[in-house]
Amino acid sequence: MTSSAENTPKRPLRVAIIGAGPAGVYAADILTKSNEVKDGDFEVSIDLFEAHPAPYGLIRYGVAPDHPRIKGIVNALHKVLDRGDIRFLGNVTYGRDLTLHDIRAFYDAVIFSTGAIKDAELDVPGVELEGSFGGADFVSWYDGHPDVSRDWPLDAKEIAVIGNGNVALDVARMLVKHADELLTTEIPDNVYQALKNSPVTDVHVFGRRGPAQVKFTPLELRELSHAKDVDIVLYPEDFEFDEASEEAIRSNNQIKTMVNTMTNWLAEEHTEADVPSSRRLHLHFLHSPVEIYGSDSGEGAGKVAGIKFERMQLDGTGHVKGTGEFIDYPVQAVYRAIGYHGSPLDELEYDAKYGVIPNEGGRVLDEYGEPVPGIYTTGWIKRGPVGLIGHTKGDALETIGFLLEDRLTLPPAKNPDPQAIIRLLEERGIRYTTWEGWNRLDAHELKLGVTWSGETGSGIIRERVKVVPREEMIEISRGSEG
């Protein structure tokens, strides 16, 4: 194979990264800072593509707006892209605007970091009823995703959230929190109005295993207690621990912290305020969903009316088994938050079971299990939707390590001119956005926050108001270019 280095020894290595969330940005940053680049072994030229007009991926469209870590992560990503050595091209969708064939003509290597945005499936009867929602869809709505409806039916008084991870807690907190508390975030106005009019009184979060096996973190747990006029309700029967649970509590400080926090809440439950709060957040453990059921007649026909669980018990190893005891909860809405699932990408192999691109350490594999030269992956589409930001950095480091190892044998781009891809996008009428365009949109959203605060005279300082419609984002980003 002719190497790109042999073919064009003086030009920079051209790399395309598909997906401008943390995984893609970290991959770009690690490559530009690699010893091989710093030592002058070769130069690199990176284009970071994003389907949305704005960067940051799941940080902008997949994390609750009141999450305290968002700002720090966004600031870190901003610093990387603001250096000017990585080119951002937004509003470009892989598989629609550009094919793999297109990309390979302009780049020596391509890294897919498209993440995982769909809900993992819950296989129980009644999941299709009106009032049964995917947690990821709800997150997209309250985060102002440009491609989802701006309306969301918030008419339930009692709601079930299935899942014991960070997304489940985010969903539950957003449902139960009073909307005025969210005004200091970047929450879009349509989301604020809908949440403000919600009649919710009780949100129930259900986990299949025990308190020592939860998948959320201490930070997310503590955030629950910050909501005003919301009581947290726990149940003593859920706090029986088997040997494996007790060992986990002894040996893992994170688990110990969370269990201690919850047991303290349980002990304090009946000793606090004389006046009960207007809303309640219930945390249930050892509940496995069996059926979502609807009303058979009247106006509620076909709509969620309740959910049935089997009571579980720990088996000594930290796992659970059924008890044969079933419990019904009357609810008018169910949110499934049992995890995310990756989506297939055109012209690449796909593992439907795990929702990932088959790969070895980030090298993408073909149908025969062989590495495809010049194609890599990182982030959740590489390893599945687990782990936090630190795991994403480790993923990117591994993938970039293999790319660097392969750099002398990559199939060379036919047209490595950085302006060639721009000409193609313009020929196809794709209204791509740039980093300069993001800075314009960023400034616009900040100004909307200042204007809102001044016009209302409420004393509430809104840092920004997120722009939702895709066309409006594009117009602002492109400015006079249209």
Side-chain angles (χ1 to χ4, degrees):
M1 183 184 294
T2 303
S3 77
S4 57
E6 292 167 355
N7 195 30
T8 51
K10 293 183 180 179
R11 72 166 174 84
L13 187 77
R14 292 281 287 146
V15 178
I17 300 178
I18 314 300
V25 176
Y26 291 143
D29 188 41
I30 289 168
L31 181 55
T32 59
K33 291 178 178 176
S34 65
N35 289 333
E36 291 84 345
V37 172
K38 286 195 298 184
D39 294 345
D41 290 355
F42 74 102
E43 293 180 22
V44 66
S45 169
I46 301 172
D47 285 341
L48 185 61
F49 291 91
E50 172 57 51
H52 304 113
Y56 307 144
L58 213 60
I59 296 299
R60 182 171 169 95
Y61 293 121
V63 182
D66 62 343
H67 198 299
R69 292 182 65 214
I70 288 182
K71 192 172 180 181
I73 297 169
V74 166
N75 287 343
L77 300 178
H78 180 95
K79 286 178 181 177
V80 173
L81 295 180
D82 206 42
R83 293 195 311 248
D85 57 348
I86 299 162
R87 185 167 63 175
F88 172 75
L89 295 169
N91 198 42
V92 181
T93 300
Y94 172 78
R96 184 190 69 193
D97 300 328
L98 291 177
T99 66
L100 185 59
H101 178 78
D102 293 329
I103 292 168
R104 302 208 74 173
F106 300 106
Y107 300 91
D108 305 299
V110 53
I111 302 171
F112 288 90
S113 57
T114 51
I117 59 171
K118 290 187 175 179
D119 283 288
E121 292 184 1
L122 177 66
D123 186 18
V124 299
V127 75
E128 75 291 341
L129 287 170
E130 184 180 343
S132 171
F133 305 107
D137 293 335
F138 182 59
V139 172
S140 292
W141 172 76
Y142 68 59
D143 271 336
H145 193 294
D147 300 330
V148 303
S149 170
R150 304 196 55 191
D151 298 317
W152 190 274
L154 288 168
D155 49 13
K157 289 186 176 182
E158 299 158 303
I159 300 172
V161 178
I162 303 172
N164 253 178
N166 289 337
V167 175
L169 290 197
D170 277 356
V171 166
R173 197 177 65 255
M174 289 295 291
L175 285 166
V176 80
K177 204 169 188 177
H178 290 280
D180 283 353
E181 281 195 74
L182 296 166
L183 279 174
T184 56
T185 74
E186 62 182 21
I187 186 171
D189 285 334
N190 65 297
V191 176
Y192 166 70
Q193 291 297 336
L195 290 172
K196 187 172 180 63
N197 294 325
S198 170
V200 67
T201 59
D202 292 82
V203 175
H204 299 262
V205 181
F206 295 96
R208 188 171 180 272
R209 298 167 74 187
Q213 288 82 38
V214 295
K215 298 297 184 183
F216 47 75
T217 57
L219 178 64
E220 275 72 21
L221 184 64
R222 284 195 300 271
E223 284 178 38
L224 294 183
S225 64
H226 297 160
K228 297 175 184 176
D229 191 33
V230 176
D231 285 338
I232 298 175
V233 184
L234 298 107
Y235 297 85
E237 61 269 25
D238 291 342
F239 287 81
E240 295 178 6
F241 302 103
D242 64 356
E243 292 176 13
S245 299
E246 289 173 350
E247 175 57 29
I249 294 167
R250 281 194 299 269
S251 60
N252 186 305
N253 283 333
Q254 179 167 298
I255 293 172
K256 180 180 180 180
T257 297
M258 289 191 292
V259 170
N260 284 345
T261 297
M262 288 187 283
T263 51
N264 286 339
W265 287 349
L266 184 64
E268 295 167 0
E269 215 169 274
H270 304 291
T271 63
E272 290 195 352
D274 296 331
V275 180
S277 299
S278 66
R279 293 179 175 179
R280 289 160 295 281
L281 178 60
H282 306 255
L283 298 180
H284 302 269
F285 303 98
L286 300 171
H287 280 66
S288 181
V290 174
E291 178 189 7
I292 302 168
Y293 55 88
S295 177
D296 295 328
S297 60
E299 291 183 8
K303 296 181 179 179
V304 169
I307 183 167
K308 182 189 294 289
F309 290 90
E310 181 177 10
R311 181 76 184 170
M312 310 301 283
Q313 65 182 19
L314 292 160
D315 66 359
T317 68
H319 296 283
V320 292
K321 58 184 179 181
T323 65
E325 175 190 354
F326 295 91
I327 311 169
D328 285 310
Y329 293 87
V331 295
Q332 300 82 51
V334 174
Y335 287 76
R336 310 178 303 276
I338 57 172
Y340 285 102
H341 200 73
S343 303
L345 293 165
D346 285 1
E347 301 180 75
L348 298 178
E349 290 300 306
Y350 176 67
D351 185 330
K353 180 179 179 182
Y354 296 103
V356 298
I357 299 171
N359 69 93
E360 282 184 0
R363 288 182 173 123
V364 170
L365 305 178
D366 63 18
E367 60 184 311
Y368 305 107
E370 296 296 323
V372 183
I375 303 184
Y376 303 86
T377 185
T378 190
W380 282 4
I381 197 64
K382 169 188 174 184
R383 62 180 163 86
V386 292
L388 302 172
I389 292 295
H391 297 87
T392 304
K393 289 180 178 177
D395 264 348
L397 194 62
E398 179 184 53
T399 296
I400 295 303
F402 283 122
L403 190 156
L404 291 169
E405 192 177 301
D406 300 340
R407 71 184 185 279
L408 298 180
T409 56
L410 294 172
K414 295 184 179 66
N415 190 347
D417 177 4
Q419 287 306 114
I421 187 68
I422 300 298
R423 289 193 290 270
L424 179 67
L425 293 174
E426 290 175 348
E427 285 169 11
R428 293 182 176 177
I430 297 163
R431 301 170 72 213
Y432 64 90
T433 60
T434 63
W435 182 246
E436 293 73 24
W438 161 246
N439 282 329
R440 279 194 286 270
L441 179 57
D442 185 33
H444 180 82
E445 292 185 343
L446 291 168
K447 186 177 178 181
L448 288 177
V450 173
T451 301
W452 186 96
S453 301
E455 288 179 350
T456 60
S458 63
I460 296 172
I461 304 299
R462 296 198 73 179
E463 184 173 341
R464 69 192 304 130
V465 178
K466 189 181 284 184
V467 174
V468 179
R470 180 179 285 265
E471 282 305 309
E472 187 179 347
M473 293 174 70
I474 296 167
E475 291 293 340
I476 295 165
S477 297
R478 289 176 66 92
S480 58
E481 302 167 21

